[in-house]
Amino acid sequence: MNNRIFLSSPHMSGNEQAYIKEAFDTNWIAPLGANVDGFEAEIATYAGSEGASAVSSGTAAIHLALDLLGVGQGDSVFCSSLTFIATANPILYLGAEPVFIDSDDESWNMSPIALERAFVESKAEGNLPKAVLIVNLYGQSAKMDELMTLCDAYGVPVIEDAAESLGASYKGKKSGTFGKFGVFSFNGNKIITTSGGGMLVSDDIEQLKRSRFLATQARDQAKHYQHSVVGYNYRMSNVLAGIGRAQLEILDERVNARRAVFERYVEALGEIDGLEFMPELEDTYGNRWLTTLTLDPEKIELTPYNLIDALAEENIEARPVWKPLHLQPLFEGCKYYSHGENDDVSLRLFERGLCLPSGSNMTVEEQEQVIEVLKKHLIVVNSKV
Ligand SMILES: *Cc1c(COP(=O)(O)O)cnc(C)c1O
């Protein structure tokens, strides 16, 4: 059996140990310290935001962003439906109610048409959301111009979940810097990793200051331990921030490597009738975190699960596209706005979608093994049609 080929595994640069060593040498093992300060400053510079706040996960960053916007009991939050559960869980932590918004076919991300319907209805009901959570799926930017125009018109702040899109850009501006807050993740499977961690970015320095206060148990200024509001223990450790600093140095290389993986898949499989890759929006530069595609059931008899199983037999990991949150048992009864009256795009993408191994450390030979398995199954089926 060949070595397992993963969907997306950690890819160290080699420089991580130097930063970690420095943390050890200075005994800054405890949370915070020079690596945290450095990592925050470097991310802010990279993204082009005024500041950044390093936390223990992307989920924690979303939780803090919602809290900073005052989301609480009885509030609603508009949220992309086609995403990982981590986007929406923090809405529930705060006792608020998610309202899910469908995707469109061009971006796979939040549909401006569905968002507009949601705004019109919620305004008529006198129940505008406290925030809009926009996800940039698989490294592709959402239609930020259209979405921001709507959110600005209704005066509702935006949180950009850029956990999957670090390094991507939209019309020359870095993903994660469009809303009031942007969120990055350094989980082990993301484009760069600290083994676990996240970052909140914003141009609002005061709010970032408050995020650090909330993320360290919300301790008031007093000689004793005094607390007036609920806080969390969410700051990033100085050791892990060291890993992040070295990873950030090679982020652009990782983006190029993932885009090259995507190009090789397109070259090998692009001609197969009924197979379509996730498009790239005009004027945007995705990081192609995961190469994803759809299989048209009218043209290809195989389902994504058939291919996932076939790949698994060769010790290759592939995954379905995220199951939309409006279809999750956890969110039963939550409101949902589909793209068209009878067109549920995120459901269609889920039923047809497949994520392929896309790691920047996957060798060309390994990718050829993946392609060979896919071709074997797809072309046999295709030639029957
Ligand atoms: C990974 C991910 C998160 C959460 O990040 P963690 O660091 O794992 O908490 C949030 N949203 C999306 C879309 C993700 O893919």
Side-chain angles (χ1 to χ4, degrees):
M1 193 60 115
N2 56 295
N3 284 337
R4 184 155 176 79
I5 300 173
F6 292 99
L7 191 74
S8 176
S9 69
H11 185 185
M12 295 296 108
S13 73
N15 209 19
E16 289 81 9
Q17 296 287 346
Y19 288 104
I20 296 172
K21 184 172 186 302
E22 193 181 306
F24 274 70
D25 288 348
T26 55
N27 203 33
W28 278 108
I29 305 304
L32 310 182
N35 280 334
V36 171
D37 295 344
F39 191 30
E40 288 180 343
E42 287 149 14
I43 280 273
T45 302
Y46 178 88
S49 66
E50 287 297 317
S53 172
V55 292
S56 51
S57 70
T59 311
I62 295 169
H63 190 184
L64 288 168
L66 290 165
D67 194 330
L68 290 164
L69 292 175
V71 172
Q73 204 84 37
D75 292 328
S76 68
V77 174
F78 289 178
C79 179
S80 303
S81 185
L82 189 62
T83 182
F84 181 45
I85 188 73
T87 308
N89 265 337
I91 300 171
L92 299 186
Y93 302 166
L94 291 162
E97 176 119 345
V99 172
F100 293 110
I101 313 290
D102 199 5
S103 299
D104 67 17
D105 283 299
E106 297 93 67
S107 67
W108 291 33
N109 287 310
M110 190 179 279
S111 155
I113 291 169
L115 177 65
E116 181 156 33
R117 278 216 321 284
F119 268 132
V120 168
E121 268 192 35
S122 68
K123 173 133 194 189
E125 290 164 4
N127 187 26
L128 279 173
K130 257 297 187 20
V132 180
L133 241 167
I134 300 174
V135 177
N136 304 297
L137 214 60
Y138 301 126
Q140 154 123 284
S141 293
K143 290 181 176 168
M144 294 314 295
D145 278 353
E146 292 90 332
L147 297 172
M148 290 306 299
T149 299
L150 280 166
C151 294
D152 288 346
Y154 285 89
V156 179
V158 167
I159 300 167
E160 214 188 338
D161 180 348
E164 299 179 3
S165 62
L166 178 60
S169 58
Y170 175 96
K171 300 190 179 174
K173 189 169 155 68
K174 284 280 193 269
S175 189
T177 60
F178 287 81
K180 176 79 187 173
F181 295 105
V183 169
F184 299 125
S185 165
F186 311 111
N187 190 33
N189 62 356
K190 297 300 199 292
I191 193 158
I192 60 170
T193 182
T194 58
S195 82
M199 192 73 76
L200 188 64
V201 297
S202 180
D203 288 336
D204 188 332
I205 295 298
E206 283 308 307
Q207 283 281 52
L208 286 175
K209 245 191 190 159
R210 186 160 173 85
S211 82
R212 295 188 185 99
F213 163 77
L214 292 174
T216 48
Q217 310 287 16
R219 187 178 169 190
D220 295 338
Q221 283 198 342
K223 283 197 174 129
H224 48 276
Y225 285 91
Q226 177 162 303
H227 307 270
S228 316
V229 296
V230 176
Y232 313 97
N233 183 5
Y234 272 172
R235 286 290 265 164
M236 183 181 276
S237 112
N238 194 52
V239 177
L240 300 190
I243 303 176
R245 297 182 78 179
Q247 288 272 289
L248 185 60
E249 290 170 357
I250 44 76
L251 171 58
D252 287 339
E253 278 174 48
R254 297 296 187 255
V255 173
N256 292 337
R258 298 227 181 207
R259 288 181 65 92
V261 165
F262 170 78
E263 292 301 337
R264 286 196 288 272
Y265 279 128
V266 172
E267 202 165 297
L269 306 167
E271 298 295 308
I272 296 175
D273 195 25
L275 185 154
E276 266 186 69
F277 289 92
M278 183 176 81
E280 185 168 44
L281 268 188
E282 211 176 309
D283 283 337
T284 69
Y285 192 78
N287 70 15
R288 293 287 181 189
W289 172 54
L290 296 183
T291 290
T292 55
L293 53 84
T294 54
L295 305 173
D296 182 346
E298 311 236 306
K299 294 183 174 149
I300 297 176
E301 285 172 32
L302 293 170
T303 67
Y305 293 103
N306 296 142
L307 289 178
I308 289 167
D309 292 344
L311 289 163
E313 270 177 34
E314 302 297 324
N315 207 15
I316 297 166
E317 183 186 25
R319 294 271 179 93
V321 161
W322 302 123
K323 179 175 177 178
L325 298 185
H326 73 280
L327 300 172
Q328 298 286 356
L330 175 64
F331 296 116
E332 212 181 308
C334 288
K335 265 196 191 157
Y336 173 60
Y337 290 89
S338 60
H339 177 65
E341 294 290 340
N342 292 306
D343 190 14
D344 191 335
V345 176
S346 60
L347 170 60
R348 178 156 33 83
L349 292 171
F350 166 58
E351 287 172 340
R352 300 177 176 197
L354 175 67
C355 302
L356 296 177
S358 307
S360 50
N361 51 359
M362 178 170 61
T363 64
V364 173
E365 292 71 29
E366 285 172 330
Q367 193 177 354
E368 278 165 2
Q369 289 174 38
V370 179
I371 288 167
E372 198 184 309
V373 177
L374 292 170
K375 268 188 166 167
K376 195 172 93 188
H377 289 79
L378 284 167
I379 290 173
V380 168
V381 167
N382 223 235
S383 60
K384 276 200 294 191
V385 178

